Amino acid sequence: MEKNHIQLWEDCLRIIKDNLSPEQYATWFEPISSHSFEQGKLTLNVPTQYYVEHIEEHYIKLLFTTLKRVYGNVNSLFYHFYEVDKEPSSAVEMRSENPSHAIKPGLPAANPFSVNVEPNIDSQLNPRYTFENYCGSMSNKVARSIGETIGDDPNCKTFNPLFIIGPSGVGKTHLMHAIGIRLKERNPQMRVLYVTARLFESQFTAALLNKKINDFIYFYQSIDCLIIDDIQDLIGKEKTQNAFFHIFNHLHLNNKQIILSSDCPQSQMKGLPERMMTRFKWGMTVKLDRPDLELRREVLSLKAQRDGLKISDDVLNYIAENVTDSIRELEGVMVSLVAHATILNMEMTVDLAKSVLSNAVKVSQRQINFEMVTQGVSNYYNVDPDQLFTKSRKREISDARQMVMYMAKKYAKMPLTAIGTRLSRTHATVLYACKNIEERLPFEKQLQEDVASIEKSFSTI
């Protein structure tokens, strides 16, 4: 009696089991079953696309040797799986792409999906966001350097995936577009695509409703560099996560570049499966910090130059020192300042900037640090700043040193131990100095004036 395709596959499993460790067999072959066998075409049911990729990479020789021994006349192998778990409309049939199976020599392997992919696509890249106008400083130096490395050498996969994290408005999107544009400049035929995670999710939902999951999956698997912004927006979207997981695996396995961004680190992305978060950590994670003063000044200067505006350094410096959260906010303030100056027919002065900022943003308090404290105190008492760090017990040096300790604790918010370390003094000495000034302040008018004058000087340092 001739065996059916299910019995034939069970014979294969027995042979494969004898050639693998129990753990390997249980993990990679026990879950596989026969879907169909017709006219030399064998189709196997596998749990996910990841199984396909792993088997093709690690066990394909064993598999085809076994198939030839049991079936004899297998000339093509396909894998059948659901892109979305237990969702029949998401069924995918993928052909083995391994050249060792019996395809007629000289013919290219068939596409795993029966759809044609256009050679050129709209990359959705914004031509305004280039490396040439991407301002740099220490707050983004590492991220920019890695981005340029990827853009200049498409074959470099050291940083794959590249995962960019940082709060809103610090330049993540600009950097991602700049990488994509540089890649296209180096290789115009490269299939680069930028999408937001929300758009990806919307496209997936539409494909699911229209029963075009195969087209959706194959299109994304054809991309050479996939750039997805705000990947945290996939949190809670389980079906979309599953689709992206398999697309990610396919692209990574085939050495295609993946670039992702998020407003939080992978460890804080609650609601994403562990298997996805571990993959996000495979390549390189870079952080874009909030723009430092150097970067804020450069952004403002570049925007003024690009828009043909003549704005004094005083105005630019005032904005840069008080708008600290994001580059996007800086640009918004500049637009508002120009609008006010134009409508009111006024010059762009510091006073106008103060008025605009009072309405547009919350003016930040200048961050006071230890260096500002030592400079302010030494200037007020007219002592050499270096003397504060010596063991000198001269009255004027000792008094100034105690004031530094008090000011560093109150205004720089430094721990007593840290202050003592900077001044080569013990924790107890710093504690005594702070208490001494705190107890004297309510009763000594001169000391009150000293503190007020030094505090006021911080705004000019």
Side-chain angles (χ1 to χ4, degrees):
M1 182 177 177
E2 188 175 348
K3 293 183 178 181
N4 60 33
H5 69 93
I6 296 176
Q7 293 170 323
L8 289 172
W9 176 245
E10 289 175 349
D11 290 343
C12 288
L13 288 179
R14 279 190 284 271
I15 295 173
I16 291 171
K17 186 175 184 179
D18 290 338
N19 286 273
L20 294 177
S21 69
E23 294 80 10
Q24 289 175 316
Y25 174 78
T27 301
W28 298 111
F29 284 93
E30 197 171 75
I32 299 176
S33 62
S34 178
H35 182 274
S36 62
F37 179 55
E38 298 176 354
Q39 299 179 342
K41 173 188 173 182
L42 173 63
T43 303
L44 299 176
N45 292 317
V46 296
T48 67
Q49 183 182 333
Y50 186 59
Y51 272 75
V52 177
E53 295 166 351
H54 191 85
I55 290 170
E56 291 270 301
E57 183 177 0
H58 299 282
Y59 302 113
I60 196 65
K61 185 175 181 180
L62 172 62
L63 178 58
F64 272 103
T65 301
T66 305
L67 294 179
K68 185 176 181 180
R69 176 178 172 182
V70 174
Y71 289 84
N73 61 340
V74 173
N75 54 42
S76 61
L77 173 64
F78 285 76
Y79 301 94
H80 179 273
F81 58 91
Y82 291 146
E83 191 62 43
V84 180
D85 189 33
K86 299 179 182 179
E87 182 63 57
S89 64
S90 70
V92 173
E93 190 171 283
M94 177 180 288
R95 186 171 188 167
S96 171
E97 295 180 354
N98 195 284
S100 64
H101 66 71
I103 296 178
K104 292 181 181 179
L107 292 179
N111 286 335
F113 299 95
S114 57
V115 294
N116 294 320
V117 176
E118 294 293 330
N120 296 314
I121 60 171
D122 183 356
S123 293
Q124 303 293 320
L125 295 170
N126 189 330
R128 293 176 55 245
Y129 292 154
T130 66
F131 279 116
E132 285 67 33
N133 60 20
Y134 186 78
C135 298
S137 75
M138 291 304 296
S139 63
N140 61 14
K141 183 176 181 179
V142 173
R144 174 176 180 148
S145 177
I146 291 173
E148 288 190 293
T149 299
I150 294 172
D152 289 334
D153 184 6
N155 295 319
C156 175
K157 294 299 184 289
T158 305
F159 311 112
N160 191 29
L162 176 63
F163 197 92
I164 306 170
I165 60 175
S168 177
V170 296
K172 299 190 300 295
T173 299
H174 189 150
L175 179 60
M176 297 170 87
H177 281 269
I179 297 171
I181 289 172
R182 181 67 61 84
L183 285 169
K184 292 291 288 183
E185 289 173 349
R186 298 290 187 268
N187 183 1
Q189 299 304 313
M190 191 172 186
R191 292 170 63 80
V192 179
L193 180 65
Y194 167 88
V195 293
T196 64
R198 288 185 182 275
L199 178 57
F200 181 89
E201 198 268 335
S202 297
Q203 292 173 343
F204 170 78
T205 301
L208 190 61
L209 293 174
N210 295 318
K211 298 183 179 180
K212 292 187 176 181
I213 287 294
N214 286 3
D215 293 8
F216 173 84
I217 297 296
Y218 185 56
F219 170 77
Y220 272 96
Q221 288 180 340
S222 74
I223 301 300
D224 295 317
C225 176
L226 179 59
I227 305 170
I228 298 189
D229 211 348
D230 294 320
I231 195 68
Q232 75 278 355
D233 287 339
L234 293 189
I235 292 175
K237 310 291 194 312
E238 292 186 11
K239 291 184 178 180
T240 310
Q241 290 172 9
N242 197 40
F244 175 71
F245 175 77
H246 294 297
I247 290 170
F248 181 102
N249 281 340
H250 179 89
L251 294 178
H252 196 273
L253 184 66
N254 288 279
N255 289 319
K256 306 300 183 182
Q257 182 67 50
I258 303 167
I259 303 173
L260 309 171
S261 80
S262 171
D263 61 5
C264 61
Q266 300 95 319
S267 59
Q268 297 178 15
M269 298 176 71
K270 307 302 181 184
L272 286 180
E274 183 66 23
R275 63 176 186 172
M276 188 175 293
M277 289 194 288
T278 55
R279 280 162 174 77
F280 289 169
K281 300 175 183 178
W282 275 353
M284 181 72 186
T285 298
V286 292
K287 182 181 180 183
L288 288 177
D289 293 316
R290 295 194 183 277
D292 56 23
L293 183 59
E294 176 190 356
L295 179 57
R296 300 198 298 272
R297 282 175 174 160
E298 186 177 351
V299 168
L300 291 171
S301 297
L302 181 63
K303 182 167 179 59
Q305 180 182 354
R306 188 174 62 229
D307 295 344
L309 302 173
K310 293 183 178 180
I311 305 177
S312 69
D313 289 342
D314 288 343
V315 173
L316 293 180
N317 288 337
Y318 179 80
I319 297 173
E321 289 171 358
N322 290 284
V323 183
T324 60
D325 283 346
S326 73
I327 295 171
R328 191 173 298 140
E329 191 175 27
L330 280 171
E331 294 178 338
V333 167
M334 282 286 283
V335 171
S336 182
L337 178 62
V338 172
H340 278 73
T342 302
I343 294 171
L344 300 174
N345 193 25
M346 296 176 59
E347 291 185 9
M348 285 183 277
T349 63
V350 172
D351 287 339
L352 181 59
K354 288 180 179 179
S355 176
V356 170
L357 263 62
S358 66
N359 296 320
V361 297
K362 181 181 179 181
V363 178
S364 61
Q365 295 296 319
R366 192 172 189 187
Q367 183 64 44
I368 298 173
N369 56 37
F370 185 79
E371 286 69 27
M372 293 170 66
V373 168
T374 54
Q375 185 176 341
V377 171
S378 60
N379 288 345
Y380 183 75
Y381 287 113
N382 194 27
V383 299
D384 185 346
D386 292 340
Q387 291 293 311
L388 299 173
F389 300 91
T390 67
K391 295 183 179 181
S392 173
R393 295 182 179 275
K394 290 183 179 180
R395 180 62 181 269
E396 62 272 21
I397 302 299
S398 179
D399 287 349
R401 189 185 297 119
Q402 284 198 356
M403 183 61 74
V404 167
M405 295 176 182
Y406 170 77
M407 288 282 188
K409 175 178 178 289
K410 181 176 180 181
Y411 295 101
K413 310 297 183 185
M414 291 176 64
L416 299 181
T417 304
I419 299 170
T421 300
R422 297 294 292 270
L423 293 167
S424 300
R425 296 298 191 276
T426 65
H427 172 277
T429 300
V430 178
L431 179 61
Y432 169 80
C434 293
K435 283 188 174 182
N436 179 42
I437 293 180
E438 288 169 357
E439 291 173 355
R440 291 166 52 201
L441 263 177
F443 310 104
E444 297 183 23
K445 186 175 181 180
Q446 183 58 52
L447 188 60
Q448 295 172 11
E449 292 176 356
D450 292 348
V451 171
S453 298
I454 296 170
E455 179 184 354
K456 186 177 181 180
S457 72
F458 292 152
S459 62
T460 62
I461 296 175

